[in-house]
Amino acid sequence: MPKFLKAVRLDDSDAELYKTSAACDEDEWVCTGGFTVCNLAEGYRCNPRCYCDESFLSITRRARVTLAEVVDVTDADLEIFKDQLAQHLLFDWKAPDYETARGVAEEEVDYTAETAATFPTEVWISVKRSPGDDGDIAEKYDQYERLMIGAHKL
């Protein structure tokens, strides 16, 4: 069964942090978002800072989140995510055409699913990006046990 990522909001700190876009809502579907990262070797281009180097990106809007939960999904869900991200790229990011947007969406959703598959279900993850030695962006993911209070997810 494939895996994907959902936004985790423990408090309102993401709303304060992501002032250049917006903070994701709790349980919003998110992708790794590495395709929207500034050229970290040259510094950040957003003011206030976008924190693209340590956040995940909503698949339907320009919103970011610091923590994501790894969850099981279906192959049909992944196809829906590709369609949703392609529409978002076309209308909100002004991709030149649907084919281009769909190609980027397919790559990003597949990459997110591959990344999520390396973690157990129901853990939280964070990402830290830095300039890589080969000019690419290096990504490091940290894993956390999901916080629980009684039988309720925090």
Side-chain angles (χ1 to χ4, degrees):
M1 175 171 276
K3 297 178 184 179
F4 209 69
L5 303 176
K6 273 190 171 183
V8 174
R9 292 280 305 268
L10 299 176
D11 56 27
D12 288 334
S13 59
D14 279 354
E16 290 298 315
L17 194 61
Y18 304 115
K19 292 183 182 205
T20 60
S21 55
C24 290
D25 295 327
E26 179 74 15
D27 291 332
E28 186 170 345
W29 295 110
V30 296
C31 59
T32 58
F35 70 100
T36 63
V37 175
C38 296
N39 182 346
L40 299 175
E42 294 180 12
Y44 302 99
R45 66 176 178 251
C46 300
N47 189 10
R49 186 175 157 202
C50 61
Y51 294 95
C52 58
D53 60 330
E54 52 193 56
S55 62
F56 301 98
L57 181 70
S58 168
I59 63 170
T60 59
R61 61 193 185 99
R62 287 187 186 218
R64 294 189 173 274
V65 70
T66 304
L67 287 174
E69 182 174 0
V70 177
V71 297
D72 289 325
V73 296
T74 66
D75 289 324
D77 290 328
L78 294 178
E79 289 304 310
I80 291 169
F81 299 155
K82 291 173 186 179
D83 288 338
Q84 290 176 326
L85 182 55
Q87 291 294 320
H88 173 54
L89 293 172
L90 187 62
F91 294 112
D92 298 325
W93 291 80
K94 306 301 182 212
D97 54 56
Y98 182 78
E99 292 75 26
T100 302
R102 177 64 187 208
V104 171
E106 287 177 2
E107 285 181 33
E108 183 62 19
V109 169
D110 289 346
Y111 179 74
T112 300
E114 290 168 12
T115 300
T118 65
F119 295 97
T121 304
E122 297 185 345
V123 298
W124 292 345
I125 63 172
S126 63
V127 63
K128 181 66 179 159
R129 297 180 180 94
S130 59
D133 294 333
D134 57 1
D136 289 338
I137 295 173
E139 293 180 327
K140 179 183 179 292
Y141 292 90
D142 288 315
Q143 173 181 313
Y144 310 93
E145 292 300 316
R146 184 172 79 173
L147 295 178
M148 302 285 284
I149 294 181
H152 301 286
K153 180 176 146 185
L154 202 181

